[in-house]
Structures are given as C-alpha cells and as structure tokens.
Amino acid sequence: MTVNRRTFLTTALIAPLPLVAAGQLWANDHDIWSVQETHDALNDNAARLIDIRRPDEWRETGVAQGAWPLDMRDAAFGERLFAAHDLADGQPVALICAVGGRSGYIMDQLRQRQFTGFVDVAGGMMGSRGHPGWIASGLPVVTPEVALAALPTSLA
C-alpha cells in the first residue's frame, strides 16, 4: 500500500522527532549530495534547497544562499515541504540541516514511504565527519531575513 501525502504529513513529519546523532546513519538509504554538488545545482537552477533548521540556527550561521528556510518543527512543515516539492517542478529538493542528522531522518521517512525527488546534503551547514559542510567550504550565506524575504508566498 502506498502512503499518501496527507497520511505522511500527519504521521511522520508532524510527530515528535527523535534526536539523531549523525546523518551518516542514513547514508545507505537515500540520495546524498555534497555541499559543492548542491551549490552547483542551485547555480544551474537544477535543484531547490530547503534549510530545515530552527530560526535561532539561521540567525547564528546564516542560511545557504538560495535556500528556502522551513523550520521542521513548524506544524505546517510537512505541507510546506510538499508544496516546495511541487514548486521545484521536477527538480530535486535538497534538505540541509546543521550536520545531517535531521535531514537524514526526514530522508529516511520519505524513502520508507516511497516519496522521490528529495536528496540530503552531506555535512549540512556545520560539517560532520568526512564532510566539511556549507560554511567550512566557503559557500555563500545570507541573513535569515534575506532568505525569508525570498521565500515563495505559497511557502510562507
């Protein structure tokens, strides 16, 4: 039986999430891109990027330039995630968090329910073992205010 979006939204994404220590726990179960691959895809307009961290994290480090900030703790996150997928119009939607744990968890939930078109950004913003992350790679960031101002109205 295929799980529909509504069921997924109410059971997987909105339910409380366990703490995940490292995104690499999920590496064998989903597509993973490096931060450089993600940056290149954004520059080529070949993908969309969603920063799923908390607003305080966005303020601390900035948001990857071109990313849509969507706090995964928000009750409407699941609906907004699929709305972003629809806006991507067939392009992959990359998920980035701090080090890869939360994005890995979301990716695992999506894959288990056979949703496609999503990828995980290895190392996230801060980096993890073997992955330098967006910031350490010297990739561009913007303030949360700039990122939120660029958010499509259907995702706000």
Side-chain angles (χ1 to χ4, degrees):
M1 178 178 95
T2 303
V3 177
N4 68 28
R5 285 184 177 188
R6 175 69 52 196
T7 302
F8 179 71
L9 296 174
T10 57
T11 59
L13 295 180
I14 297 174
L17 301 173
L19 295 176
V20 180
Q24 296 310 304
L25 296 173
W26 315 103
N28 296 325
D29 297 329
H30 59 275
D31 296 326
I32 299 176
W33 288 357
S34 71
V35 292
Q36 190 62 55
E37 288 171 315
T38 305
H39 179 259
D40 292 347
L42 283 172
N43 280 344
D44 292 340
N45 199 30
R48 296 292 183 198
L49 177 61
I50 298 176
D51 186 331
I52 66 170
R53 298 176 301 146
R54 300 182 314 267
D56 63 297
E57 293 174 285
W58 302 333
R59 285 189 298 276
E60 184 180 322
T61 65
V63 176
Q65 185 176 33
W68 292 335
L70 300 177
D71 181 352
M72 71 179 282
R73 298 170 312 139
D74 186 276
F77 174 75
E79 292 174 24
R80 295 168 80 197
L81 176 65
F82 285 110
H85 186 268
D86 292 342
L87 286 173
D89 198 29
Q91 298 174 337
V93 175
L95 306 177
I96 194 168
C97 63
V99 299
R102 289 171 282 184
S103 60
Y105 175 80
I106 295 297
M107 286 297 300
D108 187 54
Q109 298 302 308
L110 290 164
R111 291 290 181 232
Q112 284 181 25
R113 290 160 180 84
Q114 301 176 356
F115 290 110
T116 60
F118 296 93
V119 296
D120 189 9
V121 180
M125 291 296 287
M126 305 300 291
S128 62
R129 187 168 38 170
H131 303 285
W134 193 275
I135 295 169
S137 295
L139 298 173
V141 297
V142 297
T143 65
E145 293 77 19
V146 168
L148 288 166
L151 195 63
T153 55
S154 61
L155 300 181

